[in-house]
Amino acid sequence: MGEAKRKIFVISGPSGCGKNTVYDELKKRIPDVQQTVSATTREKREGETDGIDYYFIPKEEFLKKIEKGEFVEYVRYGNNYYGTLKSEIKRLADEGKTVILIIEVNGAANIKRLLPDAVSVFITPPSFDELTKRIVGRGTNSAEDIKKRIEIAKEEMRFKDMYDYCVVNDRLEDCVDRISKIIKGATEK
Ligand code: 5GP
């Protein structure tokens, strides 16, 4: 029996498409999958924990890490920076995890350029109205932030054809089913 193939998965989708819920469900079904913890300069939201949801760092520290080449990819999104640390991918790969990056579209494009073997999945909301409702309904962002996120979401939807797979998150179960199959298919070959 050969060792299962190591693959990196990149998941994107506009803010409010439900990608974090999809990830939580995926993890229940495939315990080996592990999301990288990104570094960000954005404010911590209620219920988030440093080192678990993100490494929350000040902008100066983020810029220093860029200079030192510590990121495999990073972007400016809204008024904040987000990035995946090289050390983070290595840490999870060393633990034998199936590494998943849940990042926005520009970061995903950079990863695909650097690691063409990475499998990319775009999650779309059932409709744009539904997406707007979810972003507003979350209630954790300021009015200005909400406006910006809706604008970015519109832009992000234009990237969906660039991905290996595009999955609609209408019924959560169905969406998780499809992505589980994609992951299993790519790792168990
Ligand atoms: P949020 O502020 O809602 O947590 O994240 C905003 C967006 O940034 C989401 O689309 C999220 O997937 C993306 N994101 C989070 N971490 C990273 C990262 O390390 N790199 C990139 N390119 N995007 C990220």
Side-chain angles (χ1 to χ4, degrees):
M1 227 192 324
E3 199 184 309
K5 252 208 254 169
R6 281 271 178 73
K7 279 269 183 199
I8 289 190
F9 295 87
V10 183
I11 297 182
S12 302
S15 182
C17 73
K19 53 192 184 289
N20 295 319
T21 314
V22 168
Y23 171 73
D24 291 342
E25 289 303 312
L26 271 177
K27 189 141 179 61
K28 284 185 202 157
R29 295 196 198 183
I30 318 175
D32 257 6
V33 303
Q34 187 63 53
Q35 179 184 0
T36 49
V37 178
S38 295
T40 185
T41 60
R42 89 146 156 72
E43 294 279 313
K44 203 194 290 177
R45 291 192 196 125
E46 213 182 300
E48 287 182 330
T49 311
D50 187 38
I52 292 181
D53 298 290
Y54 281 106
Y55 299 114
F56 294 96
I57 60 174
K59 189 173 164 195
E60 304 73 62
E61 196 179 327
F62 199 103
L63 297 178
K64 240 181 238 156
K65 286 186 184 298
I66 295 176
E67 249 173 56
K68 288 201 236 154
E70 291 183 27
F71 289 107
V72 58
E73 63 78 34
Y74 70 90
V75 289
R76 205 186 151 131
Y77 177 96
N79 291 324
N80 291 298
Y81 286 94
Y82 294 80
T84 310
L85 293 159
K86 291 177 184 167
S87 57
E88 188 63 16
I89 294 190
K90 186 174 180 315
R91 176 178 75 87
L92 300 182
D94 286 351
E95 285 176 20
K97 301 288 189 194
T98 297
V99 179
I100 301 198
L101 274 62
I102 305 182
I103 60 180
E104 56 66 71
V105 293
N106 297 296
N110 288 337
I111 291 289
K112 266 303 231 188
R113 264 194 295 275
L114 279 170
L115 311 167
D117 262 4
V119 176
S120 61
V121 180
F122 191 90
I123 301 179
T124 64
S127 69
F128 202 76
D129 279 356
E130 179 60 29
L131 182 78
T132 308
K133 250 191 251 162
R134 290 186 198 172
I135 296 177
V136 174
R138 187 151 68 184
T140 47
N141 305 104
S142 68
E144 191 205 342
D145 196 47
I146 286 172
K147 199 167 153 241
K148 205 168 263 167
R149 275 171 190 268
I150 293 173
E151 272 166 28
I152 297 176
K154 244 185 231 166
E155 269 297 302
E156 284 189 317
M157 290 295 288
R158 296 181 19 211
F159 282 71
K160 67 180 185 346
D161 295 336
M162 211 187 71
Y163 285 71
D164 298 319
Y165 300 92
C166 184
V167 181
V168 181
N169 184 14
D170 191 351
R171 266 194 72 229
L172 179 66
E173 275 284 304
D174 297 343
C175 178
V176 175
D177 265 358
R178 270 213 63 202
I179 302 179
S180 299
K181 280 190 190 127
I182 293 168
I183 295 177
K184 286 184 178 157
T187 50
E188 287 170 4
K189 246 183 253 162

